[in-house]
């Protein structure tokens, strides 16, 4: 990490330091115990005695054993219920309440006496545990060990309603109150424990001989000592490394250097430890140290005498440089964890399920919990499938003319369902509009874009973490907890509309969640390399998630993402964004050339960074980011060259994320670690997230979806899925017939007369458009995009099943298949099913061998078409259709039918019939160029030049400023050479 500048007396916005700068206790007023304190303790003791001992004795004496002494017989169920029965039941309830309160007391006593962490929560014991906490605190407050209690005991007991509220409110308002260096931490807790701190200081001054020290150990192989590991071994919690850092910062070490950065410690250095440190590697004061050499004893003695170092911090390297708002100009930052995270036990996440194996209702959790990634993948997949449909319709791919894309199965189907459930396209749209709106507002004020390190999303609010103060944000943005935070509320964000400006921060990518907040790190703004350590499989899952989101996110424009050491199979997600290089040498050669080129281009344009270029005239074409994801660990020499390239890369719009097996990577600015439990840790940044990951199985399934939808796959690719075909004869009349192509109508069912009718109709439409089945979670996310409980969803399913009824053989028309998906019986049919069946039969069935049959089937198919899909759907409903390709699929099918029927009539010189068929198809597919070109040919076949000129004028009017498509223009030149003159005269 970059070396940290020491803070000055004015560096903090609050005027305070995050931790004491020396070990010498400051004079404080020691509050002595009063008679009231002893009275409270005595009353607390009596209350605990009554509740813990008196209650069970009274129950035993009054009621005895309330439960049967043997296994009851069936006759017991027929006995009369008496008053004694009710009393026995009541006594059981009291026994359970007593047991719960006793557990709370034991938990609170253990936490108070151990002095480490905060008490765990007893399930369902909110008021009981609060009472136990207050009684234990009052009892132990006057004890000999009171000075060594856990910081915050009095806060958790007596100050629960006072001290804690402000902290939680600030943390919720600014979830990223998080990235400032040496920011004042837990001010509310400090106020609550001032009395205990004074007592501890007095005892420390009186018992100086008990101070413990630790000597930094030399490296063993690739393992290096770190403050995190020292705190983990000797304090029981790695996150307490900050206490060690605060005790030793800027003090002169035996080699003459000073500790100025928590990650920069050297073998042989001496660390003073907190009073509750334990373990065999610790050394006491020199007078009692018999297990160390005379030299080490002398070093410890000298170090102990150096505790009174200057408070100004000017002795440290760079100490004369100022901080602003807790942030460094060189890009270093630190995350002061929100209060709700600080009050969690370190072992509280032991039940976490690794992302690689997590599944919910049969769907992969990794995508269910990644709304921005899922939305990007879903949008990109829909775009790819539409491309395939158009190319198929135009006959550009190996003669494929199937209108049905391949239906996924197995893991690919589960992943598709997870994308549908987990995606938050509205959140992506809101984020994109907010960022572009900010860029447009700054450009209007002739202000440059600020350097943004990260963004936090919480409850719809957006918090931007700036590298340094950038003045007052433009409305409706507001200043957050200090000048380095800009915040936009959800209500203000929803009022933003599309802005014609370049994406200002395209390098933002999701890393994970902290409580209810999602962190997006701006990779291109990092002042150097970001390293990621951990097991290879876990690192690969994080790399895949980052690559997939960068490739498909909706808040970026142009971008290059280079993958090295992984991800060759990920390139189908976005071939225009993702590229794969074989090795580090090729990467270094490429990036050295690009770095030189970008530096020269910035200088020639007069910009100091890509951010100023993004708000200039060339904003849409220049300064796109280049993000490098290197999963293969570089050698020492390669790491050195990478560090040189990354030293100034942030102003060039280049970012580096590098995987490493070791805990430290030479030249890394920010260091992160992914654990086997799916936790993303950056101790020196103060981050501990539930990581966003894309495990190998889900990654392969996602790639399969994109590969199968690739329009370039050709004849060797997956065969088109045959459509759901129905019996179109008179004998195949369905029991329930829904008309979706045009206004929504249902034949064969009674219309529901309650307020749930709209939900039932929408659910039925979703099932009719997915004959392969719909997962219940997909159904609920489609109908209730903002969330719904399972019981409400299940009630709707049962109501729908009852409404649809049963077939004559008693089989329900709404069924659940072996995978748990909801499917409809074949007796429930839509007009879209009939349309597909007629077209299939006309082109590949009986109509393929009989011209007369083909004409009749095509005519019947065109009669079914009454307009666009669900033409009268109410506003605000059926939003799930944006994820579907049926809106693009239906016009193509109708256009194909119109073209086929026109060709059928022109073979017999029935031009007017052909024109009728084309006009009918154009009502549903008005943007299909093929229909207009065929209409020109059919009109020309009538021999009516005036009619052809009128059609040409109509087409020119529809084209507007864009003009006619090249192929249409060429066709008019062939059919009506003087069309330009005629159109000009008519206009």
């Amino acid at each position: 990490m970059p070396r940290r500048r020491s803070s000055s007396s004015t560096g903090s916005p609050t005027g305070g330091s995050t931790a004491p700068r020396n070990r010498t206790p400051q004079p404080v007023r020691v509050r002595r115990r009063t008679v009231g304190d002893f009275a409270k303790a005595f009353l607390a003791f009596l209350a605990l005695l009554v509740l813990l001992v008196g209650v069970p004795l009274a129950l035993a004496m009054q009621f005895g054993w309330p439960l049967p002494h043997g296994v009851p017989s069936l006759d017991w169920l027929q006995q009369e219920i008496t008053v004694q029965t009710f009393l026995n039941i009541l006594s059981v309830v009291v026994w359970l309440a007593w047991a719960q309160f006793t557990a709370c007391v034991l938990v609170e006593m253990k936490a108070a006496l151990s002095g480490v962490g905060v008490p765990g929560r007893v399930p369902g014991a909110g008021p009981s545990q609060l009472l136990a906490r207050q009684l234990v605190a009052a009892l132990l407050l006057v004890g000999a060990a009171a000075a060594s209690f856990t910081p915050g005991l009095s806060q958790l007991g007596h100050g629960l309603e006072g001290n804690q509220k402000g902290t939680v409110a600030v943390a919720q308002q600014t979830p990223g109150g998080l990235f400032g260096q040496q920011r004042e931490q837990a001010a509310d807790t400090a106020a609550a424990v001032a009395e205990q701190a004074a007592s501890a200081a007095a005892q420390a001054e009186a018992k100086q001989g008990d101070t413990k020290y630790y000597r930094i150990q030399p490296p063993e192989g690739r393992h290096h000592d770190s403050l995190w590991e020292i705190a983990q071994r000797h304090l029981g919690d790695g996150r307490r490394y900050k206490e060690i850092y605060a005790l030793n910062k800027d003090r002169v070490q035996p080699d003459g250097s000073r500790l100025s950065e928590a990650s920069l410690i050297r073998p042989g250095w001496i660390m003073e430890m907190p009073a509750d440190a334990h373990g065999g590697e610790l050394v006491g004061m020199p007078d009692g140290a018999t297990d160390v050499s005379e030299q080490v004893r002398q070093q410890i003695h000298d170090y102990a005498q150096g505790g009174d170092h200057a408070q100004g911090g000017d002795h440290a390297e760079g100490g004369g440089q100022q901080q602003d708002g807790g942030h460094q100009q060189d890009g270093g930052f630190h995350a002061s964890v929100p209060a709700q995270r600080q009050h969690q036990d370190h072992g509280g996440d032991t039940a976490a399920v690794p992302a690689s194996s997590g599944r919910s209702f049969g769907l992969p959790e990794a995508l269910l919990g990644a709304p921005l990634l899922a939305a990007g993948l879903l949008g990109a997949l829909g775009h790819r499938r539409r491309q395939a449909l158009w190319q198929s319709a135009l006959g550009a791919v190996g003669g494929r003319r199937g209108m049905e894309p391949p239906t996924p199965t197995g893991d690919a189907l589960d992943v598709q369902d997870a994308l549908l459930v987990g995606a938050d396209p509205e959140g992506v749209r809101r984020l994109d509009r907010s960022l572009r709106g900010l860029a447009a507002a700054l450009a209007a004020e002739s202000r440059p874009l600020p350097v943004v390190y990260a963004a936090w999303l919480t409850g719809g609010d957006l918090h931007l973490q700036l590298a340094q103060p950038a003045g007052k944000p433009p409305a409706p943005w507001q200043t957050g907890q200090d000048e380095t935070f800009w915040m936009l509320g959800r209500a203000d964000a929803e009022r933003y509309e599309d802005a014609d400006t370049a994406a200002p921060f395209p390098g933002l990518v999701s890393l994970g969640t902290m409580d209810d907040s999602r962190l997006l790190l701006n990779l291109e703004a990092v002042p150097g390399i970001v390293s990621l350590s951990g097991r290879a499989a876990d690192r690969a899952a994080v790399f895949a998630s980052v690559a997939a989101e960068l490739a498909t996110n909706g808040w970026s424009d142009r971008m290059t993402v280079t993958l090295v050491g992984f991800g060759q199979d990920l390139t189908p997600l976005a071939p225009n964004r993702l590229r794969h290089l074989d090795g580090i040498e090729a990467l270094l050669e490429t990036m050295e050339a690009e770095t030189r080129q970008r530096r020269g281009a910035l200088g020639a344009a007069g910009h100091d960074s890509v951010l100023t270029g993004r708000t200039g005239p060339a904003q849409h074409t220049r300064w796109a980011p280049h993000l490098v994801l290197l999963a293969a660990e570089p050698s020492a020499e390669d790491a050195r060259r990478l560090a040189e390239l990354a030293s100034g890369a942030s102003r060039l719009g280049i970012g580096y994320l590098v995987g490493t097996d070791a805990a430290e990577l030479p030249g890394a600015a920010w260091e992160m670690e992914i654990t086997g439990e799916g936790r993303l840790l950056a101790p020196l940044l103060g981050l501990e997230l539930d990581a966003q990951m894309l495990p190998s199985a889900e990654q392969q399934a996602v790639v399969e979806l994109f590969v199968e939808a690739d329009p370039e796959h050709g004849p060797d690719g997956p065969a088109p899925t045959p459509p759901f075909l129905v019996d179109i004869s008179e004998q195949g009349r369905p029991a329930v017939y829904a008309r979706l192509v045009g206004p929504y109508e249902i034949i064969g069912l009674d219309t529901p007369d309650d307020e749930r009718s709209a939900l039932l109709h929408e659910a039925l439409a979703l099932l009719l458009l997915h004959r392969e089945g719909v997962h219940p979670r997909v159904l609920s996310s489609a109908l209730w995009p903002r969330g719904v409980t399972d019981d409400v969803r299940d009630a709707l399913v049962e109501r729908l099943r009852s409404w649809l009824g049963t077939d004559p053989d008693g089989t329900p028309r709404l069924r659940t298949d072996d995978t748990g998906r909801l499917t409809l019986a074949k007796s429930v049919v839509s007009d879209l099913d009939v349309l597909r069946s007629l077209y299939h039969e006309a082109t590949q069935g009986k109509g393929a061998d009989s011209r007369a049959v083909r004409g009749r089937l095509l005519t019947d198919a065109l009669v079914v078409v009454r307009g666009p899909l669900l033409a009268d759907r109410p506003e605000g409903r059926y939003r799930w259709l944006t994820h579907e390709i049926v809106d693009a699929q239906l016009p193509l099918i109708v256009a194909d039918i119109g073209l086929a029927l026109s060709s059928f009539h022109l073979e017999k010189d029935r031009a007017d019939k052909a024109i009728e068929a084309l006009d009918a198809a154009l009502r549903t597919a008005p943007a299909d160029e093929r229909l207009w070109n065929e209409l020109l040919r059919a009109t020309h076949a009538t021999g009516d030049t005036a009619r052809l000129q009128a059609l040409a004028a109509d087409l020119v009017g529809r084209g507007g400023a864009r003009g006619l498509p090249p192929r249409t223009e060429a066709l008019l030149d062939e059919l009506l050479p003087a069309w330009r003159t005629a159109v000009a005269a008519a206009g």
Side-chain angles (χ1 to χ4, degrees):
M1 292 183 61
R3 299 185 69 84
R4 179 177 296 174
R5 299 187 177 100
S6 62
S7 60
S8 66
S9 60
T10 61
S12 173
T14 62
S17 174
T18 59
R21 299 186 62 80
N22 63 8
R23 64 179 292 274
T24 303
Q26 300 299 310
V28 295
R29 181 178 63 85
V30 179
R31 179 182 180 276
R32 300 184 179 278
R33 305 301 176 206
T34 64
V35 175
D37 292 333
F38 286 95
K40 289 181 181 178
F42 179 72
L43 293 175
F45 172 77
L46 288 181
L48 287 172
L49 186 66
V50 170
L51 293 172
L52 297 180
V53 180
V55 170
L57 287 178
L59 287 172
M61 295 175 60
Q62 184 67 28
F63 297 100
W65 182 250
L67 300 177
H69 294 279
V71 178
S73 64
L74 294 177
D75 295 335
W76 178 78
L77 298 175
Q78 301 176 354
Q79 294 180 3
E80 182 181 358
I81 298 177
T82 64
V83 174
Q84 187 61 37
T85 303
F86 282 107
L87 291 176
N88 286 341
I89 294 174
L90 181 61
S91 67
V92 170
V93 173
V94 177
W95 272 110
L96 292 175
W98 172 83
Q100 185 187 57
F101 180 79
T102 303
C104 294
V105 172
L106 294 176
V107 168
E108 296 295 330
M109 289 288 291
K110 178 180 181 298
L113 295 176
S114 66
V116 178
V118 296
R121 292 188 179 275
V122 177
S128 298
Q129 189 162 4
L130 178 59
L131 175 61
R133 185 176 304 161
Q134 293 172 334
L135 293 176
V136 170
L139 177 64
L140 297 183
L141 188 61
V142 298
S148 64
F149 286 169
T150 303
L153 176 62
S154 61
Q155 173 199 17
L156 294 175
H158 305 291
L160 184 65
E161 296 300 322
N163 295 330
Q164 212 171 11
K165 281 183 178 179
T167 304
V168 173
V170 172
Q172 289 174 345
Q173 292 169 4
T174 315
L178 302 167
F179 281 86
Q181 183 153 356
Q182 289 190 327
R183 196 174 298 268
E184 184 177 16
Q185 299 180 6
D188 59 319
T189 305
V193 299
E195 177 182 336
Q196 291 153 332
S199 177
Q203 291 195 16
E205 193 169 12
K207 299 168 66 177
Q208 198 174 46
D210 293 336
T211 304
K212 300 172 185 177
Y213 295 87
Y214 176 85
R215 188 175 177 85
I216 304 300
Q217 301 299 309
E220 297 181 4
R222 304 183 69 176
H223 175 75
H224 296 258
D225 225 345
S226 69
L227 293 187
W228 176 277
E229 293 184 345
I230 295 169
Q232 185 70 45
R233 292 198 303 270
H234 300 296
L235 299 176
D237 187 347
R239 289 177 290 187
R240 294 185 64 190
Y241 78 95
K242 302 174 188 176
E243 300 174 32
I244 306 175
Y245 176 76
L247 286 172
N248 297 275
K249 186 178 186 301
D250 293 341
R251 294 172 62 177
V252 178
Q253 292 291 336
D255 61 0
S257 57
R258 301 171 187 267
L259 175 66
S260 61
E261 179 61 53
S263 64
L264 300 178
I265 57 176
R266 302 175 185 173
W269 280 10
I270 297 167
M271 297 288 116
E272 181 181 343
M273 301 293 290
D276 60 339
H278 54 82
E281 298 173 331
L282 299 178
V283 178
M285 285 296 288
D287 295 340
T290 59
D291 55 346
V292 296
S293 67
E294 179 64 25
Q295 179 186 10
V296 173
R297 287 204 298 271
Q298 184 60 41
Q299 289 177 351
I300 295 176
H301 183 276
D302 294 342
Y303 188 76
Q305 300 304 314
D308 295 328
H309 59 285
Q311 300 222 9
D314 292 337
H315 299 293
E317 293 185 40
Q321 297 168 344
Q322 296 288 322
Q323 282 184 302
D324 196 345
H327 293 263
Q328 300 181 64
Q329 301 298 322
D330 64 356
F333 66 87
H334 177 78
S336 56
V337 184
Q340 57 264 43
R341 299 296 294 182
Q342 290 175 336
H343 294 170
Q344 288 183 4
D345 208 345
H346 185 64
D349 295 320
T350 54
V353 179
S356 59
S357 61
R359 297 181 74 83
S360 176
F361 296 93
L363 303 181
E365 287 282 5
L367 292 169
L368 293 176
L372 305 184
L373 170 61
L377 289 171
L378 196 60
L381 181 61
H383 178 71
R384 184 71 53 83
R385 286 175 170 171
R386 284 176 172 83
Q387 280 186 318
L389 279 173
W390 274 103
Q391 293 198 21
S392 174
L394 296 174
V397 181
R400 270 183 63 189
R401 296 185 58 81
M403 290 293 105
E404 304 295 328
T407 299
T409 58
D411 289 344
L413 180 57
D414 289 342
V415 162
Q416 178 175 273
D417 285 344
L419 293 177
L420 291 167
V421 174
D424 182 14
E426 288 298 323
V428 171
R429 189 176 299 109
R430 190 164 54 246
L431 173 62
D432 180 48
R433 289 178 173 176
S434 299
L435 295 177
R436 294 180 194 265
L438 174 63
L442 290 172
E445 298 177 7
S446 299
R447 296 171 58 186
L449 290 169
V451 177
V452 171
Y453 278 156
W456 292 84
L457 290 171
T458 176
D461 296 340
L462 173 60
H463 304 258
L464 294 184
Q465 170 70 55
L466 311 186
Q468 57 192 16
K472 183 179 179 181
W477 290 78
Q478 304 173 15
T479 302
Q481 72 176 41
D482 60 37
E483 293 181 349
T484 60
F485 289 91
W486 286 2
M487 189 273 288
L488 181 68
R490 176 169 184 158
D492 292 325
E494 289 177 344
R495 289 196 287 267
Y496 266 121
E497 297 181 354
D498 293 332
D500 184 21
T501 187
F505 309 115
L508 286 170
V509 64
S510 304
L511 289 186
T513 57
M514 177 185 291
D515 295 330
D516 295 327
S517 300
R518 181 170 303 278
L519 169 66
L520 289 86
L521 185 66
N522 191 4
L523 278 180
E524 67 167 336
V526 177
I529 295 173
V530 180
S531 69
L532 178 65
S533 61
R535 297 186 311 180
D538 298 324
R539 294 203 316 262
V542 174
F543 271 101
S545 171
V546 170
E549 186 168 297
L550 289 173
T552 61
N553 72 56
W555 55 89
S556 302
D557 297 326
R558 295 172 57 248
M559 178 191 298
T560 300
V561 183
T562 298
L563 314 179
V564 184
F566 84 108
Q568 186 172 7
D569 55 343
L570 286 174
T571 52
L573 300 186
N576 294 330
R577 282 194 185 183
L578 294 179
R579 70 174 180 179
H580 179 268
L581 295 181
D582 293 332
I584 298 178
E585 189 60 37
L587 171 68
L588 291 171
E589 181 179 349
T590 300
M591 297 314 299
E592 286 171 351
E594 180 161 346
T595 300
R596 288 193 302 269
Q597 179 184 6
R598 288 199 173 213
R599 282 177 180 160
L602 276 179
H607 297 306
D608 59 351
S609 77
V610 297
L611 292 179
T612 55
R614 284 183 187 153
T615 55
Q619 57 176 319
H620 290 291
T621 58
R622 302 176 67 181
W623 319 121
H626 186 168
L627 304 177
V628 176
L629 309 182
L630 173 58
E633 183 172 15
S635 64
E637 175 60 21
D638 291 337
R640 182 192 64 79
R641 294 172 63 186
L642 274 176
E644 291 177 356
L645 288 172
S647 59
S650 57
R651 73 182 189 91
L652 304 177
I654 301 175
Y656 295 87
L657 177 62
V658 181
T660 175
D661 293 329
E664 296 180 358
L665 179 71
W670 300 344
E671 298 170 347
M672 299 186 297
E673 175 191 0
I674 180 66
T675 70
E677 291 76 33
R679 304 285 289 172
L680 190 66
L681 308 178
L684 302 182
L685 305 181
L687 285 176
E688 184 175 349
L689 306 170
D690 293 319
Q692 180 171 295
M693 307 169 72
L694 187 60
S696 176
E698 285 75 15
Q699 175 184 334
Q700 294 175 9
V702 167
V703 171
E704 181 182 340
L705 289 174
F706 278 80
V707 169
E708 290 188 349
D710 190 349
E712 302 296 333
H713 236 47
D716 296 331
T721 302
F724 173 75
L725 302 178
V726 299
D727 187 353
I728 55 177
S729 65
E730 287 295 329
Q731 292 74 28
R733 188 177 298 274
V736 178
Y737 183 62
R739 305 178 73 180
L740 306 179
V741 185
Y744 192 0
E745 298 177 7
I746 298 178
I747 301 171
L749 291 177
D750 294 333
T751 302
D753 54 1
D754 58 14
E755 64 278 5
R756 303 183 183 93
S757 175
L759 276 175
L760 291 173
H761 280 75
E762 188 172 356
L764 179 57
L766 178 63
L767 290 165
L768 285 167
L769 295 177
H770 289 276
R771 304 302 306 221
E772 73 278 8
V774 176
H775 195 284
R777 293 201 65 181
V778 174
L779 178 69
S780 61
S781 66
L783 299 182
W784 295 280
R786 300 184 65 179
V788 69
T789 57
D790 291 346
D791 58 333
V792 173
R793 178 200 64 203
D794 294 342
L796 176 73
V797 171
E798 289 306 314
R799 199 173 291 113
L800 179 62
R801 181 177 283 113
S802 175
W803 182 43
L804 291 175
T806 60
D807 284 334
D809 60 359
T811 305
R813 291 173 181 149
L814 178 61
R815 307 164 184 174
T816 303
D817 65 11
D818 295 338
T819 66
R821 289 175 171 81
L822 300 171
T823 61
L824 292 173
K826 291 185 177 181
S827 58
V828 182
V829 172
S830 73
D831 54 357
L832 187 58
D833 299 326
V834 173
L835 179 68
R836 288 166 169 161
S837 300
L838 289 169
Y839 177 60
H840 182 272
E841 189 68 17
T843 56
Q844 302 178 45
K846 297 179 181 178
D849 299 325
S850 172
R851 186 180 183 281
V853 172
R854 181 169 69 255
R856 177 175 55 80
L857 292 173
L858 290 172
T859 301
D860 291 345
L862 209 53
V863 170
V864 172
V865 179
R866 300 175 300 123
L869 185 72
L870 296 168
D872 59 351
R873 57 180 180 261
E875 185 177 356
R877 304 208 66 88
Y878 297 87
R879 291 183 178 177
W880 46 269
L881 280 173
T882 58
H883 302 315
E884 307 283 343
I885 64 169
V886 66
D887 271 337
Q889 191 181 35
L890 176 60
L892 290 176
I893 294 177
V894 173
D896 268 18
I897 293 172
L899 291 171
L901 190 55
S902 172
S903 176
F904 172 81
H905 289 305
L906 286 177
E907 288 177 1
K908 295 295 185 179
D909 296 327
R910 295 194 291 261
D912 289 334
K913 290 288 186 181
I915 291 173
E916 288 179 10
L918 293 169
D919 285 338
L922 280 168
R923 285 193 287 271
T924 300
D928 197 312
E929 181 188 354
R930 299 172 301 160
L931 290 175
W932 290 107
N933 291 347
E934 190 66 15
L935 184 59
L936 286 171
R937 294 187 182 95
T939 305
H940 179 265
T942 63
D944 189 340
T945 303
R947 189 174 179 182
L948 184 59
Q949 289 175 346
L951 179 58
D954 183 33
L955 286 175
V956 170
R958 290 174 181 270
R962 295 175 300 174
L964 294 175
R967 284 179 291 192
T968 302
E969 189 171 337
L971 180 60
L972 273 174
D973 287 337
E974 173 67 24
L975 301 180
L976 189 63
W979 68 274
R980 291 179 177 84
T981 304
V983 169

